[in-house]
Amino acid sequence: MADAPPPKESPRQKRITVPQFTAFKQAAQKITMVTAYDYPLARLVDEAGVEGVLVGDSMSMVVQGHENTLPVTLDEIIYHAEMVGRAIDRALVIVDMPFPSYHLGKHKAIENAGRILKKTRCQAVKLEGGADQAETIQALVSAGIPVMAHCGLRPQSVHQQGGYRVQRDENALLNDARAATEAGAFAVVLECVPSNIAKRITEHVEIPTIGIGAGPACDGQVLVLHDILGLTCDYVPRFVKAYADLKTEIPNAISRFRDEVRSGQFPAAEHGYK
Ligand code: KIV
């Protein structure tokens, strides 16, 4: 009798873990992260082979059409993170805690982050803050919830920071990244930080720094999916590089469909049934 084939490894066992993610820094392996907000695009992002997928509160702007990230709710983030969680076989999936889901005390933060992990197949949460959020990060980590911190420009504090500005206070930035590390964060996003300051922070903390507008020395880079695909309709920040032009290609495809319907070219015989 032929040997039984080995059991097929479940794709769920192949996901990158939080400790692996942290180990990329020691191995000097650059980390790539991209946002995703729904099932089909999350599958494509995962197939492209990135290490991390972020269900970002940027969805408030790029999916929901709001002017900043403040309006998106915890329930909405969870709804989208469920779709992304179902799609991902390989990458580590991190979900943004929306404003103000972690500002109402440690217990509320654990309850909200716990809901994200219980409902979504996602593995970690991200929150904006460093020294000011150290206690919350510590409480979440003690509860077994991995935390990615987000320092530098904090879009949820857009009103307090007076707009989306480059953050240049080196001591404050270093202090934030150190406090997040000491509180147990497994990685830290640095947004809109001058490259030389991001380099020094990267050299000073053991956890990976993930830059967005923070130069090439960071241990990894993150971009918003819609920006990479050239789908962003409004303002595009300087740190974005578009690798496709879907803003042009999508209307072109739809216009061609419209033209073929009007001319009778679509549907052709091969699109019908006998
Ligand atoms: O919400 C988001 O997409 C983010 C990234 C830009 C880091 O926080």
Side-chain angles (χ1 to χ4, degrees), residues 10-269:
S10 156
R12 290 172 189 218
Q13 290 165 4
K14 287 194 214 142
R15 268 202 182 172
I16 291 171
T17 63
V18 167
Q20 274 174 294
F21 200 87
T22 311
F24 289 138
K25 177 164 182 146
Q26 277 104 52
Q29 185 182 329
K30 287 279 186 188
I31 299 166
T32 311
M33 276 180 57
V34 176
T35 64
Y37 317 99
D38 64 28
Y39 181 86
L41 289 177
R43 276 192 67 158
L44 297 178
V45 167
D46 200 35
E47 278 168 24
V50 297
E51 285 73 36
V53 172
L54 172 68
V55 186
D57 62 356
S58 49
M59 88 170 60
S60 178
M61 299 167 82
V62 300
V63 175
Q64 297 180 320
H66 294 297
E67 63 176 347
N68 57 44
T69 60
L70 296 174
V72 69
T73 66
L74 181 63
D75 285 340
E76 288 164 347
I77 290 260
I78 288 176
Y79 176 72
H80 284 267
E82 284 177 309
M83 301 176 210
V84 173
R86 282 194 284 272
I88 303 293
D89 284 339
R90 181 179 170 277
L92 181 79
V93 189
I94 303 119
V95 180
D96 252 336
M97 296 197 70
F99 174 83
S101 63
Y102 53 98
H103 300 90
L104 305 169
K106 290 184 277 187
H107 292 106
K108 196 73 193 159
I110 294 173
E111 186 181 314
N112 289 336
R115 272 187 68 206
I116 293 174
L117 259 59
K118 280 169 95 73
K119 295 198 75 174
T120 67
R121 283 194 78 231
C122 299
Q123 296 140 288
V125 298
K126 175 165 84 56
L127 56 79
E128 293 182 11
D132 56 324
Q133 291 296 338
E135 270 187 40
T136 302
I137 295 171
Q138 204 164 24
L140 290 167
V141 173
S142 302
I145 301 171
V147 179
M148 177 177 277
H150 182 149
C151 301
L153 192 160
R154 304 176 190 185
Q156 291 176 9
S157 304
V158 57
H159 300 311
Q160 199 171 41
Q161 293 188 332
Y164 299 109
R165 298 178 195 288
V166 179
Q167 303 297 305
R168 302 180 188 279
D169 185 339
E170 179 166 355
N171 288 338
L173 289 163
L174 196 51
N175 188 39
D176 276 340
R178 277 208 188 111
T181 308
E182 278 159 22
F186 72 93
V188 57
V189 167
L190 298 178
E191 179 162 355
C192 282
V193 171
S195 306
N196 60 333
I197 298 181
K199 181 169 186 287
R200 275 197 283 282
I201 295 171
T202 301
E203 288 162 357
H204 274 86
V205 296
E206 300 94 65
I207 59 174
T209 57
I210 311 293
I212 176 161
C218 294
D219 299 301
Q221 299 290 329
V222 58
L223 280 179
V224 168
L225 179 63
H226 291 55
D227 290 340
I228 294 178
L229 297 179
L231 262 177
T232 315
C233 303
D234 306 319
Y235 169 73
V236 179
R238 172 191 166 91
F239 57 70
V240 165
K241 181 169 176 184
Y243 290 83
D245 184 16
L246 295 196
K247 197 165 55 217
T248 308
E249 285 179 38
I250 289 175
N252 279 349
I254 295 166
S255 307
R256 277 172 38 225
F257 167 63
R258 180 207 58 204
D259 291 346
E260 291 194 3
V261 170
R262 286 183 183 167
S263 69
Q265 212 181 330
F266 180 85

